[in-house]
């Protein structure tokens, strides 16, 4: 070989553009280079770089000796070095959201029962805020109205009722009043408030931080934000808590064996060492995290995995249904999984929300450090400690009083009627101190209906007896105490005589109604008529009440921001 001639290692890589807008690699690197690449897969990768052209040589100057000659040993080494990564141009936005249709109006005569699982997730609110703060209206499928409503704390009744001799782990509140967007309908608000548990009295925790350190996390709002968020949680740990940390990129690695919460410096040092690079073997990381959680399992403690990622899995199992099935199977071990979403552009929100649901955990989206403080510090007890599991709600409407109803939100939490009594059917968990709100819009018999009557049939119902004419609906709830596989039943009638005027409603009722209207407006406003951003902002501003953390004030600002970004004509206040 002529050592005076520069050695050029030819690497041909062809990219094809798929129909969906993604770029796919059609040819792989030569075997020798690929083997070296695999050997280095576990090492932190450098910043993505493009293949540079040869350095230009100034006119009139010959290349220097160092440029002309390459030692044979160095040439041999270069023959097996990995080729510089070549990245195809990526679409500007490949975010994924579950497509959901809003609940339709139902006639009580034909479908008197509504059944669903509770949902304490709040990720959709923070994600919506991220869009608005970036100057964009969120996609309609990114808006889950129940998560917007449940982002806020409410002054609901604390547990007072006993069931089977024990205090029920949550209190139940109801309030009924005219709908602010339809003078002919009413809103039924059902509020659930779990008993709170002080951080100091929480059971010992066995936590596994599962951190995505792939190349896609190499953005300021991703891995750097993850590291800051995990440090906030680390500051809350107690000596009896145990923390381990697993990372995944092209491969998986245990970067921190189970460590006492008293060793905060050691935990923080492990967090500081996280570096992004490589592909995303998320499924392998999940499996290793469950192994670590099993290794440190605490029988009487909290056993939970906290998955921090943008959800962009592209190595190993990446199919949404397979990943969900994997987590559903692993939850049987007694280890729950919560997801913390980060970043934008390639964010897989559908996976993040559904994988937390399958893992009996919570889904949160961290768009800034304040949100990390809220989820991992201020509400740590709610995030980690479960007071009731598989909580289901069933509302049976009285056809003698209620003509129509429509549930607002909870579209992907709907259950079949027979699922309510089936303890094998999974449902949502409620954490210590959590508030959960459900809203129904109803029209009453004798009032103006949302649906026209039938020409060739009858919407009328048979009177079932005068003793039930004062009941609007009958509320049933099922829940399990953690550690038990048998559900317990609660029942509450909702009375027509308890309907309030708009002036009599609580600030919480009015604020929840404003948030519900906002979520529906962001989804197109199909069911709220002419009730637009102006009215929403006015209603929310009048119901701010006691707002120690400024959440409600921020909401009022976000409504104004959405109004300025909307192309709809402004409505009359």
């Amino acid at each position: 070989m002529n050592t005076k001639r520069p050695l050029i290692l030819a690497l041909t890589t062809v990219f094809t553009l798929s129909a969906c807008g993604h770029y796919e690699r059609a040819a792989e690197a030569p075997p020798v280079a690929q083997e070296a690449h695999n050997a280095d897969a576990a090492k932190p990768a450098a910043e993505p770089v493009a293949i540079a052209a040869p350095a230009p040589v100034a006119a009139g100057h010959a290349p220097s000796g160092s440029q002309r000659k390459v030692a044979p040993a160095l040439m041999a080494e270069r023959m097996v070095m990995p080729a510089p990564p070549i990245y195809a141009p990526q679409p500007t936005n490949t975010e994924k959201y579950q497509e959901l249709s809003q609940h339709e109006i139902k006639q009580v005569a034909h479908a008197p029962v509504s059944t669903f699982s509770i949902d304490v997730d709040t990720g959709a609110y923070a994600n919506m805020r991220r869009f608005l703060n970036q100057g964009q209206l969120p996609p309609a499928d990114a808006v889950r109205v129940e998560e917007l409503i449940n982002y806020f704390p409410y002054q609901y009744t604390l547990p007072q009722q006993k069931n089977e001799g024990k205090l029920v782990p949550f209190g139940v509140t109801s309030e009924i009043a005219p709908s602010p967007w339809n003078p002919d309908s009413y809103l039924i608000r059902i509020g659930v408030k779990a008993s709170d548990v002080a951080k100091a009295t929480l059971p010992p925790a066995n936590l596994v931080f599962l951190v995505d350190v792939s190349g896609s996390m190499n953005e300021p709002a991703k891995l750097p934000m993850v590291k800051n968020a995990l440090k906030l949680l680390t500051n809350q740990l107690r000596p009896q808590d145990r923390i381990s940390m697993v990372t995944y990129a092209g491969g998986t690695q245990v970067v921190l064996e189970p460590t006492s919460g008293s060793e905060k410096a050691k935990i923080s040092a492990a967090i500081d060492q996280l570096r992004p690079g490589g592909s995303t073997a998320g499924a392998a990381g999940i499996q290793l995290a469950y192994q670590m959680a099993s290794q440190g399992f605490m029988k009487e403690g909290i056993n939970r995995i906290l998955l921090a990622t943008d959800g962009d899995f592209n190595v190993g199992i990446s199919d949404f249904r397979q990943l969900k099935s994997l987590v559903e199977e692993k939850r049987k071990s007694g280890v729950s999984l919560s997801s913390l979403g980060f970043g934008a552009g390639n964010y897989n929100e559908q996976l993040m929300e559904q994988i937390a649901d399958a893992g009996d955990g919570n889904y949160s989206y961290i768009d800034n450090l304040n949100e990390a403080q809220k989820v991992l510090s201020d509400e740590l007890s709610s995030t980690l400690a479960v007071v009731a599991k598989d909580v289901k709600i069933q509302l049976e409407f009285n056809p003698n009083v209620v003509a129509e109803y429509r549930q607002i939100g909870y579209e992907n939490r709907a259950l079949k009627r027979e699922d309510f009594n089936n303890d094998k059917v999974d449902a949502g968990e409620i954490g210590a101190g959590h508030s959960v709100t459900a809203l129904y819009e109803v029209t009453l018999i004798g009032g103006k209906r949302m649906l026209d009557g039938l020409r060739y049939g009858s919407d009328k119902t048979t009177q079932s007896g005068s003793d039930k004419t004062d009941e609007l609906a009958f509320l049933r709830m099922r829940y399990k105490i953690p550690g038990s596989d048998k559900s317990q039943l609660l029942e509450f009638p909702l009375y027509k005589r308890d309907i309030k005027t708009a002036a009599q409603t609580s600030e919480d009722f009015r604020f929840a109604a404003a948030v519900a209207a906002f979520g529906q407006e962001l989804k197109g406003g199909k069911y709220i008529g002419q009730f637009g951003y102006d009215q929403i902002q006015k209603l929310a501003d009048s119901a701010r009440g006691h707002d120690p953390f400024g959440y409600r004030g921020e909401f009022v600002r976000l409504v104004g921001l959405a109004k300025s970004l909307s192309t709809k004509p402004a409505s009359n206040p």
Side-chain angles (χ1 to χ4, degrees), residues 347-394:
Y347 185 53
N348 189 344
E349 205 259 7
Q350 179 184 11
L351 175 63
M352 297 299 291
E353 192 259 347
Q354 290 289 296
I355 205 169
D357 178 33
D360 283 348
N362 310 323
Y363 160 58
S364 302
Y365 180 81
I366 309 299
D367 59 329
N368 56 51
L369 206 54
N370 287 334
E371 185 66 14
Q373 173 76 22
K374 177 180 185 287
V375 174
L376 299 176
S377 180
D378 299 340
E379 300 176 0
L380 183 63
S381 296
S382 302
T383 302
L384 297 182
V386 173
V387 299
K389 65 178 187 176
D390 291 340
V391 183
K392 305 171 188 176
I393 294 178
Q394 186 172 82

Side-chain angles (χ1 to χ4, degrees), residues 278-395:
S279 51
T280 316
I286 290 172
Q287 290 172 327
L288 181 56
Y290 273 106
Q291 291 177 20
M292 293 301 297
S294 297
Q295 179 181 321
F297 190 83
M298 295 180 176
K299 188 174 180 180
E300 302 298 329
I302 298 168
N303 297 278
R304 184 166 298 223
I305 296 168
L306 296 176
L307 168 62
T309 177
D310 57 15
D312 188 13
F313 295 1
N314 55 31
V315 172
I317 300 175
S318 57
D319 178 75
F320 166 73
R321 288 167 297 183
Q322 288 181 282
L323 285 165
K324 188 175 177 181
S325 296
L326 169 65
V327 174
E328 285 175 342
E329 179 63 29
K330 293 292 187 181
R331 76 182 179 206
K332 298 175 183 177
S333 66
V335 177
S336 58
L337 183 147
S338 290
S339 62
L340 304 173
F342 293 84
N346 66 333
Y347 185 53
N348 189 344
E349 205 259 7
Q350 179 184 11
L351 175 63
M352 297 299 291
E353 192 259 347
Q354 290 289 296
I355 205 169
D357 178 33
D360 283 348
N362 310 323
Y363 160 58
S364 302
Y365 180 81
I366 309 299
D367 59 329
N368 56 51
L369 206 54
N370 287 334
E371 185 66 14
Q373 173 76 22
K374 177 180 185 287
V375 174
L376 299 176
S377 180
D378 299 340
E379 300 176 0
L380 183 63
S381 296
S382 302
T383 302
L384 297 182
V386 173
V387 299
K389 65 178 187 176
D390 291 340
V391 183
K392 305 171 188 176
I393 294 178
Q394 186 172 82
L395 200 59

Side-chain angles (χ1 to χ4, degrees), residues 8 115 134 148 154 163 333 355 376 378 466 480 502 509 522:
I8 301 176
T115 309
Q134 290 178 347
L148 272 58
Y154 300 98
N163 192 11
S333 66
I355 205 169
L376 299 176
D378 299 340
S466 60
K480 297 174 186 173
F509 180 95
L522 290 174

Side-chain angles (χ1 to χ4, degrees), residues 124-292:
Y125 182 88
N127 193 35
M128 173 273 297
R129 178 176 60 201
R130 183 255 301 184
F131 274 103
L132 293 177
N133 284 333
Q134 290 178 347
Q136 295 177 262
L137 289 172
D141 289 330
V143 180
R144 288 187 294 281
V145 181
E146 73 277 9
E147 294 189 27
L148 272 58
I149 298 170
N150 288 334
Y151 184 84
F152 302 93
Y154 300 98
Q155 300 302 311
Y156 291 148
T157 302
L158 288 169
Q160 296 177 345
Q161 183 178 352
K162 288 189 176 182
N163 192 11
E164 297 183 2
K166 294 183 179 180
L167 189 67
V168 175
F170 50 81
V172 181
T173 302
S174 63
E175 193 170 6
I176 311 164
S179 164
W181 55 79
N182 183 351
D184 300 307
S185 67
Y186 296 83
L187 285 185
I188 297 176
R189 182 186 65 143
I190 300 167
V192 178
K193 176 68 173 179
S195 56
D196 208 349
V197 178
K199 295 177 187 177
T201 61
L202 284 173
N206 165 39
L207 303 179
V208 179
F209 296 162
L210 175 56
V211 185
D212 180 355
V213 293
S214 65
S216 70
M217 295 291 286
N218 190 19
E219 296 179 14
K222 293 186 179 181
L223 189 56
M225 184 76 74
V226 171
K227 293 161 74 170
N228 288 331
L230 294 183
K231 286 182 179 180
L232 285 174
L233 177 55
T234 299
N235 290 337
Q236 307 298 314
L237 298 176
R238 305 159 301 172
Q240 61 266 40
D241 300 324
R242 293 290 180 272
I243 306 298
S244 54
M245 185 157 52
V246 172
T247 62
Y248 64 90
T252 59
Q253 184 180 3
V254 177
V255 297
L256 183 69
E257 295 286 345
T259 302
S260 169
S262 63
E263 298 186 64
K264 291 180 172 56
K266 181 179 179 180
I267 298 170
S268 294
I271 293 172
D272 284 334
Q273 292 173 7
L274 300 178
R275 297 289 184 273
S279 51
T280 316
I286 290 172
Q287 290 172 327
L288 181 56
Y290 273 106
Q291 291 177 20
M292 293 301 297

